[in-house]
């Protein structure tokens, strides 16, 4: 069985972009792959500075995955900070990676371009910690959203560099797995849906908030009776991602014929979201206060992850001359 590994930062409330671009894939793949999935709370420290927020967002993300169908018997599900191997391998990789290599990272370049001067060393170093996360588990594939492609390429370069310096094949070179049709999910304003743009539709928001978010989707001012182009509509773009092919076709026909207003299309989208996540939303409410259960699931994952992480780190340490 081929192995996959991925991580998600506990950086806020999961939204449709996270689900369609990453979480859904992770959960579907657990049936065909040996799956390792972790909550990237070490990475989250580059932005989260409040202990209560760190705890609540970690809990929220774990509950969300379980509610959406992650099966902790199949998937090894754990918290990054509970395994010191991640930070240890990160240090080792820091020592063999050159600064200009990191300066090529999009995230760093964007921060520079925005004139951010007070960037932490941790943020600059972010791709190396991500490489360590991945390489510890020797996965065949890393399922991620399009925005993470460069980080996986950097991981491969870092692994090859280590192997070249110390000889042998202690680290492997995994490939990114990016689902093409949902590469970028648009937000309520038509830009990429992202917590940092405040344009999200949250999967587990209460019905009132969810309605408000859906109704806030930006549309043009074509009148109700006039024909509309489904290809140029954010409401349709989101509907299409959740509906069946037939349902999307039917709505596209209504758009082209005219007679359906954007308000009605938004109502259809809201119904679709509520229907799609009905079971998950119920499960979420059942699980969200059960802190002990969540903790024990993550601890069990930690034990299972440890075996592989420790074995790889031991190999690396031998190569370096620490063992
Ligand atoms: P955000 O941009 O809201 O902070 P994250 O960076 O925490 O989201 O992303 C977590 C995962 O969800 C990543 O794998 C990312 O590629 C995916 N993802 C986030 N937003 C989108 C989107 N709009 N479309 C597709 N995938 C997305
Ligand atoms: N950087 C990823 C994101 O923002 C999260 C992440 C951390 C990750 N470590 C990883 C993803 C390892 C895949 C593999 O979404």
């Amino acid at each position: 069985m081929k192995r996959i590994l991925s991580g998600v930062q506990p950086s806020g409330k999961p939204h449709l972009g996270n689900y369609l671009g990453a979480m859904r894939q992770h959960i579907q793949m657990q049936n065909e792959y040996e799956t390792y999935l972790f909550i990237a709370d070490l990475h989250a420290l580059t932005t989260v500075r409040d202990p209560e927020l760190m705890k609540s967002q970690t809990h929220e993300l774990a509950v969300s995955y379980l509610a959406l169908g992650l099966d902790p018997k199949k998937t090894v599900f754990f918290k990054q900070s509970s395994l010191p191997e991640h930070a240890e391998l990160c240090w080792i990789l820091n020592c063999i990676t050159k600064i200009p290599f990191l300066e090529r990272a999009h995230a760093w370049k964007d921060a520079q371009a925005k004139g951010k001067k007070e960037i932490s060393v941790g943020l600059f170093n972010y791709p190396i910690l991500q490489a360590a996360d991945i390489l510890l588990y020797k996965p065949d594939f890393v399922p991620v959203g399009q925005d993470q492609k460069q980080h996986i390429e950097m991981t491969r370069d870092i692994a090859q560099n280590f192997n070249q310096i110390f000889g042998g094949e202690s680290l492997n070179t995994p490939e990114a797995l990016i689902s093409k049709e949902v590469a970028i999910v648009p937000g309520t304003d038509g830009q990429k849906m992202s917590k940092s743009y405040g344009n999200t539709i949250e999967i587990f928001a209460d019905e009132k908030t969810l309605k408000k978010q859906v109704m806030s989707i930006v549309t043009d001012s074509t009148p109700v009776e006039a024909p509309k182009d489904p290809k140029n509509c954010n409401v349709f773009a989101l509907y299409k991602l959740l509906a069946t092919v037939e349902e999307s076709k039917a709505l596209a026909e209504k758009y082209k014929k005219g007679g359906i207003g954007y308000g009605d299309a938004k109502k259809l989208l809201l119904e679709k979201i509520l229907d799609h996540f009905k079971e998950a939303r119920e499960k979420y409410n059942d699980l969200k206060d059960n802190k002990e259960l969540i903790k024990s699931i993550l601890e069990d994952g930690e034990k299972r992850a440890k075996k592989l992480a420790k074995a790889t780190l031991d190999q690396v340490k031998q190569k370096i001359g620490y063992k």
Side-chain angles (χ1 to χ4, degrees):
M1 210 184 217
K2 298 252 190 217
R3 184 181 300 149
I4 58 165
L5 167 126
S6 199
V8 185
Q9 287 197 63
S11 53
K13 297 186 187 309
H15 53 73
L16 276 180
N18 299 142
Y19 172 71
L20 295 165
M23 299 171 88
R24 181 169 67 175
Q25 261 199 89
H26 299 155
I27 293 165
Q28 277 169 355
M29 292 178 86
Q30 69 185 349
N31 298 316
E32 291 153 56
Y33 294 87
E34 187 188 342
T35 305
Y36 285 74
L37 184 73
F38 66 90
I39 299 180
D41 56 350
L42 293 177
H43 280 109
L45 186 57
T46 56
T47 51
V48 181
R49 295 292 152 75
D50 170 344
E52 287 313 313
L53 203 60
M54 186 66 91
K55 273 188 207 156
S56 64
Q57 292 186 166
T58 299
H59 176 74
E60 169 125 23
L61 187 62
V63 171
S64 301
Y65 262 104
L66 293 164
L68 288 166
L70 181 143
D71 178 352
K73 289 197 196 76
K74 290 183 185 156
T75 294
V76 179
F77 189 38
F78 60 101
K79 222 166 65 166
Q80 185 188 27
S81 64
S82 60
L83 286 155
E85 286 81 358
H86 289 247
E88 239 184 300
L89 182 59
C90 176
W91 177 256
I92 291 168
L93 300 177
N94 280 344
C95 295
I96 61 155
T97 306
K98 306 256 165 57
I99 289 176
F101 174 82
L102 280 185
E103 282 173 337
R104 268 184 264 146
H106 298 316
W108 162 255
K109 284 207 275 197
D110 288 351
Q112 291 278 86
K114 283 186 190 136
K116 289 190 188 163
K117 295 223 165 58
E118 305 277 308
I119 301 167
S120 68
V121 176
L123 190 68
F124 183 57
N125 220 11
Y126 188 110
I128 305 195
L129 178 59
Q130 184 157 348
D133 296 339
I134 297 171
L135 298 172
L136 280 175
Y137 301 92
K138 300 187 193 283
D140 296 286
F141 303 108
V142 185
V144 281
Q146 179 75 36
D147 57 346
Q148 294 297 313
K149 190 166 176 248
Q150 190 191 30
H151 286 155
I152 314 307
E153 284 160 6
M154 292 174 88
T155 299
R156 293 163 57 87
D157 289 343
I158 292 172
Q160 275 162 355
N161 188 27
F162 181 92
N163 291 341
Q164 214 156 41
I165 295 172
F166 293 102
E169 295 281 316
S170 332
L171 300 177
N172 78 331
T173 47
E175 280 180 47
L177 209 63
I178 296 164
S179 134
K180 290 272 171 340
E181 73 272 24
V182 286
I184 294 179
V185 178
T188 53
D189 58 358
Q191 289 188 79
K192 176 196 170 214
M193 187 178 289
S194 171
K195 279 155 240 160
S196 46
Y197 301 151
N199 63 358
T200 61
I201 296 177
E202 291 160 14
I203 310 166
F204 297 110
D206 61 73
E207 235 173 287
K208 206 171 139 210
T209 310
L210 197 59
K211 186 170 175 194
K212 217 167 119 197
Q213 291 174 343
V214 171
M215 291 301 163
S216 77
I217 299 174
V218 176
T219 53
D220 59 31
S221 51
T222 316
V224 174
E225 34 332 315
K228 299 172 186 64
D229 181 4
K231 279 200 224 78
N232 280 325
C233 174
N234 293 328
V235 184
F236 185 80
L238 288 167
Y239 183 82
K240 200 175 159 200
L241 290 169
L242 293 174
T244 61
V245 177
E246 291 76 35
E247 287 169 332
S248 303
K249 255 194 196 154
L251 185 59
E253 285 311 312
K254 282 191 191 160
Y255 265 67
K256 286 182 205 154
K257 244 171 60 199
I260 180 168
Y262 290 122
D264 295 324
K266 287 178 185 176
K267 278 190 198 132
L268 281 178
L269 173 62
L270 178 64
E271 274 169 34
K272 183 94 274 156
I273 295 172
L274 286 170
D275 183 51
H276 189 91
F277 294 106
K278 187 172 185 292
E279 234 180 275
R281 288 167 61 87
E282 283 166 8
K283 209 165 160 201
Y284 179 89
N285 285 324
D286 287 346
L287 283 171
K288 76 175 188 314
D289 296 324
N290 201 339
K291 297 227 160 79
E292 281 310 306
L293 176 69
I294 305 300
K295 195 165 160 256
S296 74
I297 288 173
L298 293 174
E299 280 170 4
D300 177 60
E302 175 191 330
K303 279 188 209 122
R304 289 156 68 199
K306 180 99 183 168
K307 286 188 198 134
L308 211 51
K310 189 174 178 310
T312 306
L313 190 61
D314 280 348
Q315 272 180 352
V316 163
K317 284 181 169 174
Q318 257 163 16
K319 283 282 172 201
I320 295 174
Y322 289 158
K323 277 191 179 252

